[in-house]
Amino acid sequence: DVQMTQSPSSLAASVGDTVTVTCRASRSIGTYLSWYQQKPGKAPKLLIYDGSSLQSGVPSRFSGTESGTDFTLTISGLQPEDFATYFCLQSYNTPFTFGHGTFLEIK
Amino acid sequence: EVQLVESGGGLVQPGGSLTVSCEASGFNFNEYYMHWVRQTPGKGLEWVSRIAWNGGGIDYAASVKGRFTISRDNAKSSLHLQMTSLNRDDTGLYYCARGGPVAGPLDNWGQGTLVIVSS
């Protein structure tokens, strides 16, 4: 199975800050990596797919990059509604595997 | 608007069985892979199973293989997950999610149905 190592597990930041979250795959997954935002009591919401493509309707302050087996989610200019938990997902092969999540909280 | 509505969760004893379902609307259900994902306090988000648009392409997580069965009814735009030999580790919130092509992301999720395995 492909292991997804996500870091950091938690992060404190202020409105207006730029933050990055990273997922590293245990082996090559091409660009079959997506990022999700989850708020308490809600289902995950797709933000980025194919490593760097912005899902329709998602603000452009969210961006994704890939370099080999390393994938990064960047949120530029944090807004109050961005404080949530973020997950990555590899869908290169089954079993699909998630990162353990990054809890982004207000500093 | 894409909508996925899960149902069928509840309390079940260890060793018991339960079927959860997902009703889809707002898109051509028979053109998409569909998935089940669960969320548990211990393991976070865990992919459970997927099924292709034609009912083929079925895969399972190792933790549920042989105990869970995924199926779909394209005429009714519904997805099902039959769960048997349930144990406490199966406790969690079960989401259905729409997939894209074979290796695509999960672009729409339901709100989940809660399964609790306890005596």
Side-chain angles (χ1 to χ4, degrees):
Chain A
D1 298 358
V2 178
Q3 306 302 317
M4 301 303 299
T5 303
Q6 185 171 344
S7 61
S9 56
S10 64
L11 180 58
S14 301
V15 172
D17 285 353
T18 293
V19 298
T20 60
V21 180
T22 298
C23 271
R24 172 170 289 176
S26 60
R27 63 174 188 264
S28 176
I29 58 170
T31 58
Y32 293 105
L33 189 286
S34 45
W35 291 98
Y36 300 82
Q37 176 194 67
Q38 187 176 32
K39 296 182 178 180
K42 300 293 187 181
K45 172 188 172 185
L46 176 64
L47 301 173
I48 301 285
Y49 63 96
D50 292 349
S52 59
S53 297
L54 190 67
Q55 174 70 350
S56 176
V58 174
S60 59
R61 62 181 180 273
F62 292 91
S63 63
T65 60
E66 68 272 2
S67 177
T69 57
D70 290 342
F71 298 83
T72 300
L73 171 70
T74 300
I75 312 172
S76 303
L78 276 170
Q79 296 300 301
E81 61 268 28
D82 299 337
F83 292 93
T85 301
Y86 293 86
F87 296 93
C88 63
L89 168 69
Q90 73 79 19
S91 55
Y92 178 71
N93 58 12
T94 57
F96 289 7
T97 44
F98 290 88
H100 283 97
T102 295
F103 177 62
L104 176 57
E105 59 183 336
I106 300 175
K107 187 185 289 184
Chain B
E1 179 193 5
V2 173
Q3 284 200 322
L4 299 168
V5 180
E6 300 93 338
S7 62
L11 176 64
V12 60
Q13 292 189 336
S17 300
L18 194 67
T19 297
V20 292
S21 300
C22 172
E23 300 296 319
S25 61
F27 65 101
N28 292 328
F29 182 75
N30 60 6
E31 295 179 357
Y32 289 85
Y33 271 76
M34 295 297 296
H35 300 252
W36 286 102
V37 174
R38 65 186 180 186
Q39 189 162 31
T40 66
K43 286 190 172 183
L45 286 167
E46 181 185 13
W47 176 84
V48 173
S49 182
R50 76 167 178 191
I51 185 168
W53 54 85
N54 61 357
I58 289 175
D59 289 293
Y60 298 99
S63 58
V64 307
K65 195 168 187 178
R67 300 187 299 122
F68 289 13
T69 302
I70 191 172
S71 63
R72 65 191 296 160
D73 183 339
N74 285 344
K76 296 182 179 178
S77 296
S78 62
L79 176 72
H80 308 281
L81 186 69
Q82 181 180 10
M83 304 180 289
T84 64
S85 301
L86 286 161
N87 58 62
R88 288 180 174 81
D89 290 342
D90 296 316
T91 293
L93 189 60
Y94 283 71
Y95 293 104
C96 73
R98 190 180 80 168
V102 175
L106 306 181
D107 66 358
N108 282 273
W109 300 57
Q111 287 304 302
T113 187
L114 183 61
V115 173
I116 300 173
V117 183
S118 176
S119 54

